[in-house]
């Protein structure tokens, strides 16, 4: 990590993603929300698949992670952030995107949610995402941000990738309804982040917009971002070839 961070500094990178220990923070949140350790731990994938778990694509596959993994990741993240900040970088912290463990749905049958699908995996491994009007969206999102900042210090930028390579639960033939749902999701993610830190800026990967351009036409992208202040949102271009 020291070499990686130095390489980034030498190449002018000043907003590195700091996703290490995301699961350790999430684990604390889910335990506070009433899940037991087994219900929480079985939500996480094995370590090799964590990038996709963090984007909501995949749950449980090849998991769970042992407790010492979480402890070691917390210790490592402190060292990573110390080095990044010493070099004048603004780390981008992880935030909540609406994805919840199935056990949380089981405990709260009143919750409105949608199941998304990705990569041809069985439904048991795919995401459950809260509806944007769920009161839990804001509550859990604020807890994620506060739990991260309590452990690692204040951040300005928070990454939330809501629907990476996944189609949203909308009727694509009903454009008015589609745009309203997209706007509601964008608003829910943004408000859940700023509920934890009023000064936070939402960061999102732009990859999925180009990858699924048949779904993400200009009107759909505009709808998603229509209720987010321009100076509170950064879309990172990962398809800039």
């Amino acid at each position: 990590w020291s070499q990686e961070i130095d390489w980034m500094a030498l190449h002018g990178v000043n907003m590195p993603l700091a996703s290490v220990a995301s699961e350790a923070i999430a684990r604390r949140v889910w335990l506070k929300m009433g899940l037991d350790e087994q219900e929480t731990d079985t939500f996480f994938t094995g370590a090799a698949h964590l990038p996709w778990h963090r984007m909501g694509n995949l749950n449980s596959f090849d998991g769970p992670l042992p407790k010492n993994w979480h402890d070691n990741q917390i210790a490592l993240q402190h060292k990573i952030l110390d080095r990044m900040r010493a070099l004048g970088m603004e780390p981008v912290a992880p935030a909540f995107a609406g994805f919840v463990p199935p056990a949380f749905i089981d405990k709260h049958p009143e919750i409105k949610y949608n199941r998304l699908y990705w990569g041809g995996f069985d439904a048991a491994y795919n995401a459950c995402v809260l509806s944007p009007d769920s009161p839990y969206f804001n509550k859990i999102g604020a807890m994620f941000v506060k739990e991260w900042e309590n452990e690692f210090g204040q951040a300005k930028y928070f990454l939330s990738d809501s629907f990476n390579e996944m189609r949203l639960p909308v009727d694509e033939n009903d454009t008015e309804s589609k745009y309203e749902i997209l706007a509601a999701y964008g608003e829910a993610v943004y408000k859940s982040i700023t509920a934890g830190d009023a000064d936070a800026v939402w960061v999102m990967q732009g990859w999925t917009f180009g990858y699924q351009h048949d779904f993400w036409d200009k009107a759909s992208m505009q709808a998603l971002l229509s209720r987010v202040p321009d100076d509170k949102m950064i879309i990172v271009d990962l398809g800039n070839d």
Side-chain angles (χ1 to χ4, degrees), residues 42-62:
T42 55
F43 179 51
F44 302 127
T45 65
H49 311 288
L50 287 177
W52 293 275
H53 176 71
R54 291 167 183 170
M55 292 185 289
N57 298 116
L58 192 63
N59 299 328
S60 303
F61 190 78
D62 203 27

Side-chain angles (χ1 to χ4, degrees), residues 4-27:
E4 176 72 11
I5 295 167
D6 287 350
W7 184 94
M8 287 191 285
L10 288 167
H11 286 77
V13 174
N14 57 12
M15 284 178 55
L17 181 61
S19 58
V20 168
S22 297
E23 294 68 40
I25 297 300
R27 189 175 190 270

Side-chain angles (χ1 to χ4, degrees), residues 153-173:
Q154 191 169 17
K156 179 178 181 181
Y157 302 106
F158 286 86
L159 183 80
S160 177
D161 290 309
S162 302
F163 303 104
N164 180 62
E165 299 180 6
M166 297 180 288
R167 291 189 176 273
L168 278 71
V170 298
D171 181 354
E172 295 186 39
N173 295 317

Side-chain angles (χ1 to χ4, degrees), residues 179-180 183-187 190-191 222-229:
Y179 298 153
E180 172 57 32
Y185 267 114
E187 183 179 29
Y190 168 69
K191 286 188 172 180
Q222 287 173 338
L224 180 70
L225 307 177
S226 61
R227 299 174 189 171
V228 182

Side-chain angles (χ1 to χ4, degrees), residues 97-112:
F99 304 112
V100 298
F104 185 72
I105 299 292
D106 293 341
K107 286 184 181 293
H108 298 278
E110 79 283 2
I111 288 178
K112 291 189 293 182

Side-chain angles (χ1 to χ4, degrees), residues 21-35 40 44 70-71 74-75 78 143-144 146-152:
S22 297
E23 294 68 40
I25 297 300
R27 189 175 190 270
R28 295 177 185 177
V29 172
W30 295 125
L31 292 175
K32 288 181 178 180
M33 290 301 298
L35 300 189
T40 300
F44 302 127
H70 298 299
D71 295 338
I74 288 283
H78 275 288
M143 290 176 67
F144 264 72
K146 290 177 180 177
E147 194 71 43
W148 195 93
E149 291 192 333
N150 285 340
E151 179 65 45
F152 298 118

